[in-house]
Amino acid sequence: MAREMIRHGGRSARIQNEVHAATRALLEVTDRSELTVPMIAERAGVPPSTIYRRWGDLSQLLADVAVERLRPIADPDDTGATMGDLEAFVVQYAEEMSSAVGRRLLRDVLADAENETSATKCCRFTYDHLEVIAGRAVARGEPGIDIGLVIDRVIAPIVYHILFRDRDVEPDYCRQLLATVEVGGLRTAA
Amino acid sequence: MAREMIRHGGRSARIQNEVHAATRALLEVTDRSELTVPMIAERAGVPPSTIYRRWGDLSQLLADVAVERLRPIADPDDTGATMGDLEAFVVQYAEEMSSAVGRRLLRDVLADAENETSATKCCRFTYDHLEVIAGRAVARGEPGIDIGLVIDRVIAPIVYHILFRDRDVEPDYCRQLLATVEVGGLRTAA
DNA sequence: ACGCTAACGCAAATAATTTGCACTTAGGCA
DNA sequence: TGCCTAAGTGCAAATTATTTGCGTTAGCGT
């Protein structure tokens, strides 16, 4: 039987939690550039070799931790109206991602050269959130939103400016971006 | 005299060139994840300590090399018309950046946690290119282009999709993005 | 040409990463 | 339920990468 056999429970899971927790805790007080695997291992109470075997190297571990932190814990706020939902989501997204912590998470996710699935997962989170908002719109009988258009017009510029630090992404700017998908009643993508 | 005293010529410059060349050469045949500083040092004919002292670590060296490779060697093509210039530039930009090499360069630039100037420099290149095109437009008496708008509407989505790998950025898609800044004769940003 | 010192090369010391082997244990199966 | 098997772990030795002190080389300003 060629079954996959990947362990999820018990010790394995406990170790994953402890390593993740140790990483998060150390990132609070340590610069990313002086964070090391042995440091995390000691704090988590495991030997370094366990971390190397399981995650490969520091950047992959950081990417894994970052993805977990970026994973949404709840659906976007329901404001009762599609544009309200969008605005609430986008403004909060920009605020979180442009913070020092958020920026680091974004970079950790992108830095991980192997396992490009980190980046894919992370952008999936955004897509899923927008899909929930789109679903609500339909349920309410409002015109649906074009998710691809929102990503291109709103999310992408925000992420670009955060990554390249060439301008702030304050709420007003986010609303300006959003306004461009609103014209003509959330029209379909070009 | 509190002059800075940074050396640019002679040996120092030669070493920088050799290390850069060695890095580029090794990246052709080696996966980024198995590239090491001692490897580059040997190929460049310098001791590893020289690299560590000068660049700090591998990711900073890779970022430095990436910035140099992204630095434009010439002004964007002059097609005789503003939209033609823009289209030529954007399509080529997307093609270069979405290749395996381009994607790696982009990530190397962003990965470097210290010295965030790498990212800034790199996005400056794009801005400068657009400024040249904008300057030509004015010189021809055509309406000027809003560089911020082009970045938000065209460059940012392209970069986003390349980094997160959630869709291809083929020429047609680039032209669609460009079309949204063309409506109303290159109108001023929102 | 001369002096000053940034940048270098070397090698020893330190730290990180890899690896073989024995052991533990999650999860499937009887 | 209680075996069985291999995924996952811990340990420690071997390897490899990184840091650092110190003497030397060579830009650059005078």
Side-chain angles (χ1 to χ4, degrees):
Chain A
M1 70 188 64
R3 273 290 325 283
E4 258 294 324
M5 276 301 255
I6 296 176
R7 310 240 162 136
H8 296 99
R11 180 167 68 163
S12 206
R14 186 167 53 253
I15 284 179
Q16 162 159 331
N17 287 338
E18 274 158 16
V19 169
H20 274 223
T23 305
R24 286 193 302 269
L26 286 171
L27 277 173
E28 298 280 329
V29 294
T30 315
D31 242 32
R32 208 225 115 131
S33 61
E34 39 195 309
L35 188 65
T36 66
V37 170
M39 225 183 261
I40 296 169
E42 188 185 16
R43 173 119 187 187
V46 301
S49 60
T50 291
I51 295 182
Y52 287 118
R53 275 217 239 271
R54 198 149 156 191
W55 282 277
D57 62 18
L58 182 59
S59 75
Q60 284 177 271
L61 169 57
L62 289 176
D64 191 39
V65 170
V67 167
E68 285 317 302
R69 292 193 73 177
L70 291 171
R71 183 189 301 282
I73 50 180
D75 280 349
D77 291 341
D78 189 338
T79 65
T82 303
M83 280 313 294
D85 285 3
L86 270 180
E87 181 179 322
F89 169 62
V90 167
V91 169
Q92 185 185 333
Y93 180 91
E95 187 183 320
E96 286 177 4
M97 293 305 191
S98 65
S99 69
V101 174
R103 218 165 48 229
R104 197 181 41 64
L105 293 179
L106 221 42
R107 288 185 174 192
D108 285 346
V109 163
L110 292 173
D112 169 19
E114 334 300 304
N115 196 15
E116 271 185 342
T117 60
S118 303
T120 306
K121 277 184 203 166
C122 165
C123 100
R124 193 75 207 286
F125 295 156
T126 305
Y127 194 92
D128 287 348
H129 253 102
L130 290 172
E131 230 170 19
V132 170
I133 293 175
R136 280 187 201 141
V138 172
R140 286 193 202 103
E142 294 191 61
I145 64 177
D146 182 327
I147 297 177
L149 187 65
V150 173
I151 286 177
D152 284 359
R153 288 281 181 88
V154 186
I155 303 293
I158 289 172
V159 169
Y160 182 93
H161 296 305
I162 289 171
L163 287 176
F164 291 102
R165 300 186 69 71
D166 67 335
R167 73 159 290 168
D168 286 344
V169 289
E170 69 278 9
D172 273 353
Y173 173 68
C174 296
R175 282 187 276 268
Q176 281 172 25
L177 292 173
L178 259 177
T180 72
V181 298
E182 191 175 17
V183 175
L186 298 170
R187 70 154 210 241
T188 293
Chain B
M1 70 183 69
R3 271 294 321 287
E4 260 293 327
M5 274 306 251
I6 296 177
R7 310 242 160 130
H8 294 102
R11 179 169 67 164
S12 208
R14 187 167 53 252
I15 284 179
Q16 162 160 332
N17 286 338
E18 273 158 16
V19 169
H20 275 221
T23 305
R24 286 193 301 271
L26 286 172
L27 277 173
E28 298 279 330
V29 294
T30 316
D31 242 31
R32 208 227 117 130
S33 60
E34 39 196 309
L35 188 64
T36 66
V37 170
M39 225 183 261
I40 296 169
E42 188 185 18
R43 174 119 185 188
V46 301
S49 60
T50 291
I51 294 182
Y52 287 118
R53 273 211 238 268
R54 193 145 163 196
W55 282 277
D57 61 18
L58 181 59
S59 75
Q60 284 177 272
L61 169 58
L62 289 176
D64 191 40
V65 170
V67 167
E68 285 317 302
R69 293 194 73 178
L70 291 172
R71 183 189 301 283
I73 50 180
D75 280 348
D77 291 342
D78 190 338
T79 65
T82 302
M83 280 312 294
D85 285 3
L86 270 181
E87 180 178 322
F89 169 62
V90 167
V91 168
Q92 186 185 332
Y93 179 92
E95 187 182 321
E96 285 177 4
M97 293 303 191
S98 65
S99 70
V101 175
R103 221 165 47 228
R104 194 179 44 62
L105 294 179
L106 220 42
R107 290 187 169 186
D108 285 347
V109 162
L110 293 173
D112 168 19
E114 336 298 303
N115 196 16
E116 272 187 342
T117 60
S118 302
T120 306
K121 275 186 203 164
C122 165
C123 100
R124 191 80 207 284
F125 296 155
T126 305
Y127 194 93
D128 287 348
H129 252 101
L130 290 172
E131 228 170 20
V132 170
I133 293 175
R136 277 186 203 143
V138 172
R140 285 191 203 106
E142 293 191 62
I145 63 176
D146 182 327
I147 298 178
L149 187 66
V150 173
I151 287 178
D152 284 1
R153 289 281 181 88
V154 186
I155 303 293
I158 288 171
V159 170
Y160 182 93
H161 296 305
I162 290 171
L163 288 176
F164 292 102
R165 299 185 71 70
D166 67 334
R167 72 158 290 169
D168 285 345
V169 289
E170 71 278 9
D172 273 352
Y173 173 67
C174 297
R175 281 187 276 268
Q176 281 172 25
L177 292 173
L178 259 177
T180 72
V181 299
E182 191 175 18
V183 175
L186 299 171
R187 69 153 210 242
T188 294

